[in-house]
Amino acid sequence: MVSSAECVEMLQRMWRIRLFEERLKQFYNYTAYANLSSGPHGQLGDDGYDFASDGLIGGAVHLSIGQEAVSVGVCSVLDDADSIFSSHRSHGHALAKGVPVKKALAELMGREGGCCHGCGGSMHLFDPEHGMLGGNGIIGAQLALALGPAFAAKYRGTREVSVPFFGDGGANQGTFNESLNLAALWKLPVVFVCENNLYANSTPVGIALATPDVADRAAGYGMPGVVVDGQDVRAVHEAAATAVSRAREGEGPTLLECKTYRFEGHCGVSAQHQNPEECARWRQRDPVVLFGARLAQEGVLSESGQEELRRGVEAEIDEAENYAKHSPYPTPELLAELVL
Ligand SMILES: Cc1ncc(C[n+]2csc(CCOP(=O)(O)OP(=O)(O)O)c2C)c(N)n1
């Protein structure tokens, strides 16, 4: 059973991810990305658009607003020594695992003070100190990479667990089969976390998945497959706790499928390809709002306590913004040093 203090900590982390990504909307270079893009990405919207800040973040930015309960619920049962691997949609995972906000924001702005000295950017947040072993622009690659530290832990007889987060689209890559098979065969300490947000880019799961639940596939590898409500952070925490303790005890991997939804478009904002009624329905199940209401109802944290928590997170992000904006861009010499 998760304690009150842990609940408050989880709510704080959820707010951190939500407000961090809301802040990103002001900095994202919509114009450059729209010019590069075609199809649904090309539609510009007004939501959050701030001309003054436009361009502080270049390249593609994938927001995970709406999916905070998954990253926070899973990471709440992990230690710094445990490893996570992410995809193109990696900010939430990084922050949930403890990557400092200022290092993440500076990285997104391409500054030297970032967790990869500004040479990685949004899709390559990486911070081994906190066990964040990287975002990845290659869909499905993180599943195979996660087997490395899991194998090392098993080989050395230590108790670290490795967790790849991937989407429903990632579940259809060949690496899914290879990784689940090998992890099960060797009983590796892995928890495979599928964030099924119902779309891969703009492709709905209904026309891409042969069965409604990705978790059903676990049976084919002889591991438990668990479906959990990805909007309920406590449910995710509990399911992840069971899977992680199984992995730590040497009993092998679990496939955890979290049913969730992203409230923004695939890349950037306002490029919604989802049906508006569907979006509205899921917004009724906003994981941050739901959890806050539950904690108020249970007397764990009052509404004013939550407001204070939220303001504290906002101040933390203001401070990170100041840090990032004052951090220099990396020099070509530094790039050469890091890469060579
Ligand atoms: C190997 C590979 N194929 C295709 C792409 C292009 N691509 C980028 S994101 C994406 C959809 C990913 O969907 P999903 O795994 O469900 O994650 P979500 O975006 O829903 O979080 C695709 C196909 C890619 N980056 N890598």
Side-chain angles (χ1 to χ4, degrees), residues 85-294:
F85 291 80
S86 179
S87 62
H88 55 295
R89 206 176 295 290
S90 66
H91 318 146
H93 304 133
L95 296 180
K97 192 68 173 44
V99 175
V101 176
K102 62 180 194 172
K103 294 215 154 192
L105 189 55
E107 189 54 45
L108 273 139
M109 288 190 191
R111 309 299 175 113
E112 205 181 307
C115 54
C116 302
H117 303 288
C119 297
S122 166
M123 284 189 264
H124 302 104
L125 298 177
F126 177 82
D127 184 358
E129 197 186 323
H130 296 95
M132 169 57 179
L133 297 195
N136 207 309
I138 308 297
I139 303 304
Q142 70 276 34
L143 284 118
L145 294 174
L147 267 54
F151 179 79
K154 171 122 187 170
Y155 188 73
R156 293 180 179 137
T158 55
R159 289 169 61 81
E160 293 92 15
V161 171
S162 186
V163 179
F165 288 92
F166 55 99
D168 39 283
N172 288 338
Q173 288 286 51
T175 47
F176 176 89
N177 172 51
E178 297 173 48
S179 307
L180 270 74
N181 181 53
L182 205 57
L185 182 70
W186 290 349
K187 283 194 181 258
L188 298 182
V190 185
V191 180
F192 294 97
V193 179
C194 178
E195 280 181 275
N196 186 346
N197 61 16
L198 309 190
Y199 291 88
N201 204 326
S202 54
T203 305
V205 283
I207 62 164
L209 256 60
T211 56
D213 297 329
V214 172
D216 282 349
R217 299 184 197 173
Y221 303 97
M223 69 174 76
V226 180
V227 176
V228 66
D229 176 0
Q231 304 308 92
D232 178 347
V233 70
R234 268 200 283 223
V236 176
H237 168 95
E238 274 157 33
T242 306
V244 164
S245 75
R246 184 183 140 81
R248 288 204 206 286
E249 295 311 317
E251 291 167 38
T254 298
L255 171 59
L256 187 61
E257 178 183 5
C258 305
K259 303 283 191 187
T260 185
Y261 199 76
R262 66 176 146 71
F263 293 169
E264 301 290 356
H266 169 69
C267 186
V269 295
S270 299
Q272 293 283 15
H273 39 74
Q274 300 106 314
N275 164 330
E277 280 164 28
E278 179 186 82
C279 281
R281 231 180 15 255
W282 278 88
R283 278 183 186 275
Q284 298 285 314
R285 303 208 62 240
D286 181 320
V288 188
V289 174
L290 281 184
F291 192 44
R294 287 282 294 280

Side-chain angles (χ1 to χ4, degrees), residues 13-48:
R13 287 196 179 214
M14 288 169 81
W15 272 121
R16 188 172 289 135
I17 298 168
R18 174 66 57 92
L19 299 180
F20 179 86
E21 292 209 320
E22 289 289 349
R23 187 72 59 98
L24 295 186
K25 290 182 185 176
Q26 296 167 19
F27 303 145
Y28 179 54
N29 191 338
Y30 298 102
T31 322
Y33 191 71
N35 288 342
L36 284 175
S37 303
S38 57
H41 295 318
Q43 298 158 18
L44 283 181
D46 295 331
D47 186 9

